[in-house]
Amino acid sequence: MQDAFILSVHEAEKRYAEHTALDKVNLQVPKGSIYGLLGRNGAGKTTLIRCVMQLLMPDAGQLFFDGKPLAKEHQHLIGYLPEEKGLYTDMYVTEHLLYLARLRGMPKKQALQIIEEKLSAFGLTDWAQRKISKMSKGMQQKVQFIAATMHAPQFLILDEPFTGLDPVNAAMMEQEMKAFKEKGCSILFSTHRMEQVEDLCDGIALIDKGKNVLQGETQEVRSRFSKREWNLGFDTALDKEHSLFSRIYWADEKHQKGFITLATEESSKEILQSLISANASINYWEERLPSIGEIFVQLVGQAHDEN
Amino acid sequence: MMKINWNRIRLIIAREYVTRVRQRSFLLGTFLGPFGMILFMFAFVWITLETRTETKVLVLDESAKIQDRLYDKDYLYFIKMHGTLQEAEQRCKDESLDAILYIPKSDMLSPRGIKLIGVHTLGKQEKDRVSYALDKAFEQARLTELHIDKEVFESISKEVPIEVISKEDGEEHIGRTEVAYGVGYISAMLMYILLLTYGMRIMNSVNAEKSGRVVEVMLSVVEPFELLLGKIVAIGALSLTQFAAWVFMGSWAEIGISIWAQSRLKGLSMAAPQSGMMNSAMNTGAMRVTELSGALQDIHIGQIILVVGIYLVLGYLFYSALFAALGALNNDGEGGGIPSFVVTTPLLVSFYISFQSGASPNSGLSFWGSLIPFSSPIIMPTRLAFNPPWWQLAISLGLLVISIFGAIWLAAKIYKAGILMNGKRFTIKEIVRTFKQS
């Protein structure tokens, strides 16, 4: 039976002698989506990823891959990129990629062809026969990405994929991730860089101290944390004596831009109509949603303060 | 049930082997290491010879019966003088001599008052050499005084010869005890050094891999058992390669030295064809070599080398699995985990037992030591030259083979549990819990 989720984690628990890494964590990654796993250092992201990779066994809870209990045979359907140092630096680039491909059972000829194509796509053709230890951190990250994806996995797990990448290479990595999504691959990635989350992720899960803090579709999560603030801009000069205009927080008075916070009983439609009837020439009107970064700080900061 | 993929193990072995063989450190260690070793030995011998200083002893013999019987030997010189002790001290100072040997007049059979007065504190070796020369001088003087013929004395103080015969399977084997002991001792020493060195190499390799996260990628593709087995076999093969290279180079060096030595000996015998002493020494040497070679044949040295080789391979597999587990449990450069003496102690204890085993190959300690897998790779080889019963050998090998499977199974579990616990200390309780789950 086909499932809507490529990965489902139910009540996963993992305890160590000194701390609890996962405390009844739930996670559902829809098929064909890019899903962000957010959390501070030590929040339990890597432990959760290791459980999904079956490197660790959870003490309790269940994990499902495409609706079926996660098992060994699913490993070859998953691609994995650890945060860093996921390469044998004493090997040559092609040699390393070929080694991993052959361990996955790929025929040598086919593997070499794929490696050549991927290296070319990432601008690493000149590095094919050079030692990995000679490469920059960003280049090594690209090689790791190739290693994780060359067997065309259904599900890709990327642990901090943007580490060490300059803006150009980060953009390239984003494009690659989107391209994989286009091909139907589902992606779970952990990151600290919140600006990429909004741009890339269809959904997010935030964990802290091994517990679920937040989960859902990116836009839905942002809406959930809406402070009922609306951005607006005007074309013409305004009658600042108007009661509504006095409520506007002028972020940029010169250019006549600002935002207004709506009361609970007010609807955005009513306010907009009132502004128009006051002869305000409005050129834009949009809800000002908090960024994922702001939500992250708000929630994790709260949890931190509570302790 | 874990499904082992031998093709993956083959790929892992190839990678682990090839990447290490081409490392500069391996090439330097293999090809320059022995030269460094030889150079060091030469330097040691050279320094020993060059720094050997003369010891000059001024002999003040009031009895006048001993001084002519003290003979110079190997940088030890006796200088006779007559006079007082004060004069001797002065001469010692003037001529930079090392010591005064003062022999007062006394009874030859129970002499008293003999003194060795050093200008500086005499070393033990110097003192022993003077003492030995003095003993011999007194021995001769006493023989003269008691009118005992020297040849008669030598004949009555001869050692009583004893021929050690081992009667096994109706066949008599003569005089092989010392050779067997020597073979056993060399085997034990070799086994101890190789198992420890190769084991440590495995441990360091696992530890290094743990410090990165490549092991996570690997374990998402292969089974821990496959990775561990591949690593063990590859490093074993690497060690054998290095060993073979050393043997090869050593053989050529030996051939070269033999040719050089023969040409030197030939030159010497041509230069001194009438030297009866030299011929006699050469004949004696040749006889010893013939005896040794006979004894070696008698103890079936070929078979022993084969069995020692088998024990080396099996012992390596057993101990390398344990060392690998140890490497997985310890964090690079950090405390905590399991200390390495947990694995090195059985090796060390076995090595000490091997001395006892060589001296008393059929004792209870030797028997049990050669059966228990922790010690059998070191102790059984010391007993091989003494022909232990075949059933003991069979049990020993059988137990070792079973233990290898057990050790690798155990090590793979510990490896999986420990290899991901990087960057933090962990308790035994935690290891056991993770071990049960893996």
Side-chain angles (χ1 to χ4, degrees), chain A residues 15 50 59 80 88, chain B residues 22 209 213 216 433 437:
Chain A
R15 296 181 199 285
R50 283 176 174 174
D59 298 334
Y80 174 49
Y88 285 114
Chain B
R22 68 185 179 208
E209 195 162 65
R213 288 181 69 180
E216 290 181 31
R433 203 162 63 91
Q437 289 176 341

Side-chain angles (χ1 to χ4, degrees), chain A:
Chain A
M1 191 185 75
Q2 288 286 304
D3 196 87
F5 300 103
I6 191 78
L7 176 74
S8 299
V9 178
H10 294 300
E11 306 278 297
E13 287 181 37
K14 185 73 194 172
R15 296 181 199 285
Y16 293 110
E18 290 167 358
H19 76 289
T20 301
L22 297 177
D23 189 2
K24 298 190 174 168
V25 167
N26 290 291
L27 179 73
Q28 288 187 311
V29 180
K31 277 185 181 169
S33 69
I34 299 181
Y35 214 81
L37 184 61
L38 315 179
R40 292 184 298 174
N41 288 335
K45 302 190 297 288
T46 301
T47 304
L48 181 60
I49 286 173
R50 283 176 174 174
C51 287
V52 177
M53 289 310 300
Q54 300 173 70
L55 299 170
L56 289 177
M57 289 286 286
D59 298 334
Q62 288 174 301
L63 286 89
F64 297 91
F65 184 86
D66 199 8
K68 298 177 192 77
L70 188 68
K72 276 276 168 197
E73 62 261 28
H74 294 130
Q75 270 187 334
H76 72 278
L77 302 173
I78 304 174
Y80 174 49
L81 180 145
E83 185 177 350
E84 53 186 330
K85 295 183 182 175
L87 301 165
Y88 285 114
T89 51
D90 55 355
M91 293 180 90
Y92 298 92
V93 174
T94 300
E95 183 189 35
H96 181 89
L97 293 171
L98 182 64
Y99 175 57
L100 287 176
R102 298 209 66 202
L103 284 176
R104 288 186 187 278
M106 212 182 275
K108 189 177 176 180
K109 203 175 165 186
Q110 185 195 346
L112 281 172
Q113 194 184 335
I114 292 171
I115 291 164
E116 200 182 327
E117 286 169 12
K118 294 269 183 187
L119 288 176
S120 170
F122 276 90
L124 292 174
T125 306
D126 291 345
W127 287 83
Q129 301 304 327
R130 295 173 76 172
K131 268 207 174 165
I132 292 170
S133 58
K134 305 281 179 200
M135 301 178 106
S136 69
K137 211 172 169 187
M139 282 179 177
Q140 289 189 6
Q141 194 72 337
K142 287 192 210 173
V143 176
Q144 283 208 94
F145 187 81
I146 296 170
T149 56
M150 65 186 166
H151 61 294
Q154 287 181 17
F155 185 39
L156 194 55
I157 298 177
L158 311 172
D159 196 357
E160 298 286 353
F162 299 101
T163 303
L165 295 183
D166 58 39
V168 175
N169 283 316
M172 185 188 274
M173 182 71 84
E174 276 186 35
Q175 286 309 312
E176 280 297 318
M177 286 169 72
K178 283 176 183 168
F180 263 90
K181 183 191 163 188
E182 292 298 312
K183 287 177 197 165
C185 179
S186 314
I187 301 173
L188 174 70
F189 84 105
S190 71
T191 185
H192 288 107
R193 296 174 67 164
M194 297 300 149
E195 70 279 9
Q196 274 151 344
V197 173
E198 279 167 44
D199 188 34
L200 268 174
C201 296
D202 301 303
I204 58 153
L206 172 60
I207 57 172
D208 193 50
K209 292 176 184 160
K211 288 183 179 171
N212 276 102
V213 176
L214 179 72
Q215 188 172 189
E217 285 180 20
T218 311
Q219 283 309 311
E220 182 270 320
V221 166
R222 290 181 70 198
S223 301
R224 212 188 300 167
F225 283 82
S226 166
K227 293 175 183 167
R228 299 183 59 72
E229 290 171 345
W230 289 78
N231 286 325
L232 71 169
F234 303 94
D235 281 342
T236 52
L238 299 163
D239 175 10
K240 289 187 183 172
E241 297 304 313
H242 194 286
S243 62
L244 262 177
F245 296 149
S246 62
R247 286 173 58 192
I248 295 171
Y249 172 78
W250 298 103
D252 186 350
E253 202 165 351
K254 189 180 168 191
H255 296 97
Q256 299 169 320
K257 285 178 185 170
F259 70 85
I260 184 167
T261 305
L262 274 58
T264 317
E265 67 280 3
E266 291 173 324
S267 80
S268 67
K269 194 178 171 186
E270 285 166 6
I271 297 292
L272 186 60
Q273 278 172 349
S274 302
L275 286 168
I276 291 168
S277 48
N279 292 324
S281 174
I282 296 169
N283 60 18
Y284 69 87
W285 174 252
E286 63 175 9
E287 189 170 12
R288 186 175 190 265
L289 291 172
S291 68
I292 293 294
E294 286 167 338
I295 296 169
F296 181 91
V297 171
Q298 184 189 333
L299 292 175
V300 173
Q302 266 176 12
H304 193 64
D305 294 341
E306 280 164 18
N307 292 300

Side-chain angles (χ1 to χ4, degrees), chain B residues 284-325:
Chain B
T284 311
M287 274 169 67
R288 294 293 301 268
V289 170
T290 314
E291 275 174 24
L292 184 69
S293 124
L296 285 173
Q297 276 179 8
D298 199 34
I299 61 167
H300 311 293
I301 193 70
Q303 285 176 24
I304 288 175
I305 290 172
L306 179 73
V307 181
V308 167
I310 292 169
Y311 269 101
L312 178 63
V313 172
L314 297 180
Y316 167 76
L317 289 172
F318 179 71
Y319 266 102
S320 59
L322 300 182
F323 272 109

Side-chain angles (χ1 to χ4, degrees), chain B residues 152-169:
Chain B
V152 172
F153 173 74
E154 279 174 3
S155 69
I156 58 171
S157 56
K158 256 187 185 171
E159 276 183 23
V160 180
I162 179 165
E163 204 168 52
V164 181
I165 297 167
S166 323
K167 203 162 184 178
E168 290 157 9
D169 310 325

Side-chain angles (χ1 to χ4, degrees), chain B residues 20 97 111 120 139 161 170 243 266 278 291 315 328 369 381 390 407 410:
Chain B
R20 281 181 175 79
L97 305 176
H120 53 86
E139 188 181 285
F243 195 64
K266 207 172 170 185
M278 186 184 227
E291 275 174 24
W390 68 267
L410 183 82

